[in-house]
Amino acid sequence: MRVLLVEDDQLLADALRLALSQAAHQVDVVDDGELADQALRDASYDLAVLDIGLPNMNGRDVLRRLRQRNAGTPVLVLSALERLEDRVELLNLGADDFLQKPFHLSELDARVKALLRRAHRHAKNEVELGRIRLDMDARRCFVDQVAVDLTAREFAVLELLLLRAGRVITRSQILDLLYGWEDNQATNTVEVLVYRLRKKLDFSGWDLKTIRGMGYLLEVHRGSIG
Ligand code: CA
């Protein structure tokens, strides 16, 4: 991934550049707000790591301008700001996450990974859980990269279950979801749908459990995912 690092503290910038490079990112470093603004206009970055106190233009203005251009580049703000109001202001300006100085490099690494994962999923409009992946645009389901043949109804129910994995989905929530589908409801009761989904996801590492009197729950199959 291509990362823009904006930090005017030379020692910190060197350490961050090294850490990001070791995580296999391609890193451009600038030490001034105007240069950062220019770099974000000129190139497409997967992530910006942005200090706030910068020469020539502060990080707030760099962020404000970026969002005014309607750019969705994820921004991780590095800041010594401890006041809640300052952090709220930055979130309102469009920051995606914060690291409060001083921080540990392992925390930077974790937050960068989380932001890139989130941005990637968002861009691709996918939900991935264990070995199951749903492509919401194409309305397709994959287990270990292998396409699983689902009807539109089965896809919709699985989507609901995946988005709320670990929580019980009631029968009436599923009925609400299916309401309005035109063909014969009688042959497509919730029970039949669940039965079919269960068979199709047999080897996915997930169990579709019936919780008596409550509904259904998608849960990791015991022992199948570490
Ligand atoms: Ca600074």
Side-chain angles (χ1 to χ4, degrees), residues 7-9 51-55 101:
E7 173 58 68
D8 62 325
D9 176 333
D51 183 29
I52 293 299
L54 293 165
K101 293 178 182 178

Side-chain angles (χ1 to χ4, degrees), residues 1 106 192 194:
M1 298 285 175
S106 62
V192 173
V194 166

Side-chain angles (χ1 to χ4, degrees), residues 2-226:
R2 191 167 182 196
V3 178
L4 179 67
L5 171 60
V6 189
E7 173 58 68
D8 62 325
D9 176 333
Q10 194 64 52
L11 277 177
L12 182 56
D14 287 345
L16 294 181
R17 181 217 295 264
L18 185 63
L20 289 165
S21 304
Q22 280 171 347
H25 300 301
Q26 182 195 331
V27 189
D28 293 341
V29 187
V30 292
D31 59 1
D32 147 314
E34 269 176 16
L35 291 174
D37 184 57
Q38 196 59 53
L40 286 164
R41 279 169 204 277
D42 291 348
S44 169
Y45 288 96
D46 297 296
L47 175 74
V49 177
L50 180 65
D51 183 29
I52 293 299
L54 293 165
N56 295 323
M57 184 191 296
N58 72 43
R60 270 187 205 80
D61 290 332
V62 174
L63 180 59
R64 185 180 292 119
R65 287 176 178 224
L66 176 73
R67 293 305 182 227
Q68 276 168 357
R69 292 194 295 277
N70 225 351
T73 317
V75 175
L76 172 61
V77 167
L78 306 178
S79 158
L81 300 173
E82 284 174 20
R83 295 187 332 161
L84 176 65
E85 307 90 278
D86 295 323
R87 296 200 297 269
V88 169
E89 185 204 355
L90 284 162
L91 282 174
N92 284 332
L93 283 175
D96 294 280
D97 201 1
F98 292 96
L99 263 178
Q100 192 166 319
K101 293 178 182 178
F103 52 85
H104 198 275
L105 287 176
S106 62
E107 192 181 359
L108 170 88
D109 187 52
R111 287 184 189 268
V112 163
K113 273 191 192 137
L115 277 177
L116 290 173
R117 217 165 36 225
R118 208 191 300 165
H120 182 67
R121 263 204 308 265
H122 188 66
K124 289 178 75 181
N125 201 12
E126 287 183 355
V127 184
E128 199 169 346
L129 213 56
R131 292 158 53 200
I132 304 179
R133 179 166 59 88
L134 289 191
D135 179 335
M136 323 287 234
D137 292 328
R139 310 299 287 172
R140 297 194 71 198
C141 170
F142 300 85
V143 173
D144 292 338
Q145 314 301 327
V146 180
V148 178
D149 203 16
L150 296 182
T151 65
R153 247 185 232 79
E154 289 164 358
F155 186 93
V157 172
L158 182 58
E159 184 179 19
L160 180 71
L161 284 161
L162 272 187
L163 289 172
R164 303 190 191 182
R167 281 180 282 172
V168 173
I169 306 301
T170 64
R171 198 172 177 281
S172 68
Q173 280 175 310
I174 296 180
L175 281 173
D176 283 349
L177 184 73
L178 300 177
Y179 181 79
W181 246 291
E182 281 175 8
D183 55 356
N184 189 355
Q185 284 288 323
T187 59
N188 288 286
T189 61
V190 173
E191 287 72 18
V192 173
L193 262 174
V194 166
Y195 171 78
R196 282 203 235 115
L197 269 178
R198 212 171 254 153
K199 286 188 87 172
K200 290 180 179 182
L201 297 176
D202 203 16
F203 299 103
S204 69
W206 289 86
D207 280 339
L208 182 44
K209 291 190 173 164
T210 303
I211 309 294
R212 202 173 283 277
M214 291 179 72
Y216 302 95
L217 173 68
L218 195 61
E219 218 176 46
V220 181
H221 183 68
R222 199 176 303 178
S224 67
I225 294 179

